[in-house]
Amino acid sequence: MNFQSQTMRLHNADSVPFLTYNSLSELKFIRHAFSTRLGGVSEGEFTSMNLAFNRGDNPDRVTENYKRLCQSAGFEFESLTASAQDHHTFVRAVTRENRGTGIYKPRDLESVDGLITNEKGVTLVTYYADCTPLFFVDTGNKAIGLAHAGWRGTVGRIGEKVVKKMGEYYGTKPENIVAAVGPAISVCCYEVDEPCAAHFLALTDLNTDKFVFPKDGGKYMLDLLEANRQILVAAGVKAENITLSDLCTNCNRDLLWSHRATKGKRGTMSALMCLI
Ligand SMILES: [Zn+2]
């Protein structure tokens, strides 16, 4: 595997690999990770690090995968608290009482695509395989957020909703937020049709020329990372505090799960983050 990135670092490549952002690693009061498709015990189309319980994999294997990832990346398994993503834009504040949700307790967070907390001992978990993860760290009031932004969530401005909810719950000031966007399917590989592109072209307060690129045959290349970056800037996050991942899931299919690269026969990756 030829791993190259200016923004992210690959750890434990020979055992249970995970990625971190260089920018977020400088913040010593949080721990974060993004999983890969490697280092797990799942088989068949889920080989080997699948972190989704809802795609037909053996749940005991998924649990073991989480335990391996936690061990590798330094998270407490009992602290995991997962979203229940379905491409909406609801954001929920979670506490220690929610620990285990969606992992070793039933999901009770239906329609939640974003999680925030300001409590230690709660690890936020969200799921991906091409969609865009958004990481938020409030360096002032020490709070964190994770959100899943597929194209629907991006158009619905879930990034802005997380910033607002962190402000409402934790007094977070947007200018104190350090954010990261990705890894996701990137503009090199993310072709969409006209109805999808039209939703993005309708975001007229943003510079759509920078993320919707028409090509022949009524198709468009879409840059979800740039669209999310602009949405965060519009919400008050400083441009210099936002890092975009340079790892496209489809271009790095040996390392990362890509829904498009696998035509849907795939496992799922997770973003994890907690306060320490
Ligand atoms: Zn690509």
Side-chain angles (χ1 to χ4, degrees):
M1 190 198 325
N2 181 24
F3 179 79
Q4 284 190 318
S5 172
Q6 300 299 311
T7 57
M8 302 194 83
R9 188 170 153 215
L10 182 66
H11 305 260
N12 298 349
D14 296 330
S15 55
V16 181
F18 66 96
L19 295 160
T20 57
Y21 276 97
N22 301 335
S23 56
L24 298 185
S25 295
E26 290 174 16
L27 306 173
K28 300 305 179 194
F29 62 96
I30 62 143
R31 184 164 292 135
H32 78 290
F34 193 79
S35 69
T36 72
R37 61 181 293 174
L38 306 173
V41 297
S42 292
E43 296 178 354
E45 69 194 56
F46 304 112
T47 305
S48 61
M49 180 57 80
N50 167 47
L51 295 169
F53 285 100
N54 63 352
R55 297 186 65 83
D57 195 0
N58 177 331
D60 293 339
R61 293 207 173 112
V62 180
T63 297
E64 175 62 19
N65 289 340
Y66 270 107
K67 289 183 173 169
R68 285 180 176 224
L69 178 64
C70 285
Q71 171 79 19
S72 182
F75 292 91
E76 183 194 5
F77 175 76
E78 288 67 31
S79 73
L80 301 178
T81 308
S83 55
Q85 298 165 197
D86 54 10
H87 297 277
H88 285 99
T89 57
F90 299 109
V91 180
R92 182 152 151 188
V94 292
T95 67
R96 290 180 69 91
E97 288 182 7
N98 303 109
R99 283 158 51 111
T101 300
I103 306 285
Y104 56 89
K105 289 183 197 163
R107 295 187 350 183
D108 70 347
L109 302 174
E110 294 305 324
S111 290
V112 167
D113 279 68
L115 296 171
I116 60 174
T117 194
N118 67 345
E119 288 192 15
K120 290 181 186 175
V122 181
T123 299
L124 309 181
V125 181
T126 49
Y127 302 110
Y128 306 92
D130 284 344
C131 290
T132 313
L134 306 177
F135 294 77
F136 300 83
V137 181
D138 173 0
T139 59
N141 292 352
K142 304 238 177 358
I144 54 174
L146 277 180
H148 160 257
W151 76 258
R152 289 182 188 83
T154 302
V155 165
R157 293 177 177 256
I158 190 166
E160 181 180 29
K161 290 181 179 171
V162 172
V163 172
K164 284 192 173 152
K165 193 121 180 170
M166 288 177 76
E168 201 179 308
Y169 276 69
Y170 311 132
T172 298
K173 296 193 173 83
E175 61 267 30
N176 288 336
I177 290 177
V178 173
V181 180
I185 193 165
S186 302
V187 66
C188 42
C189 297
Y190 194 36
E191 184 184 274
V192 300
D193 56 15
E194 201 280 333
C196 174
H199 286 284
F200 283 84
L201 291 167
L203 300 171
T204 51
D205 63 312
L206 304 179
N207 188 354
T208 59
D209 289 350
K210 291 269 181 13
F211 53 81
V212 186
F213 302 95
K215 48 187 282 193
D216 294 342
K219 300 289 188 181
Y220 297 78
M221 300 310 285
L222 191 60
D223 190 340
L224 276 182
L225 288 89
E226 170 62 17
N228 278 291
R229 192 192 69 77
Q230 289 192 30
I231 287 164
L232 295 186
V233 170
V237 182
K238 290 180 174 176
E240 63 265 33
N241 288 346
I242 304 170
T243 304
L244 304 191
S245 173
D246 51 6
L247 292 173
C248 169
T249 45
N250 190 50
C251 290
N252 292 277
R253 55 182 71 180
D254 293 341
L255 177 67
L256 302 172
W257 289 117
S258 167
H259 188 81
R260 287 210 172 186
T262 55
K263 298 188 170 60
K265 291 190 178 305
R266 59 158 177 90
T268 295
M269 300 175 290
S270 284
L272 285 74
M273 187 155 59
C274 67
L275 292 160
I276 54 176

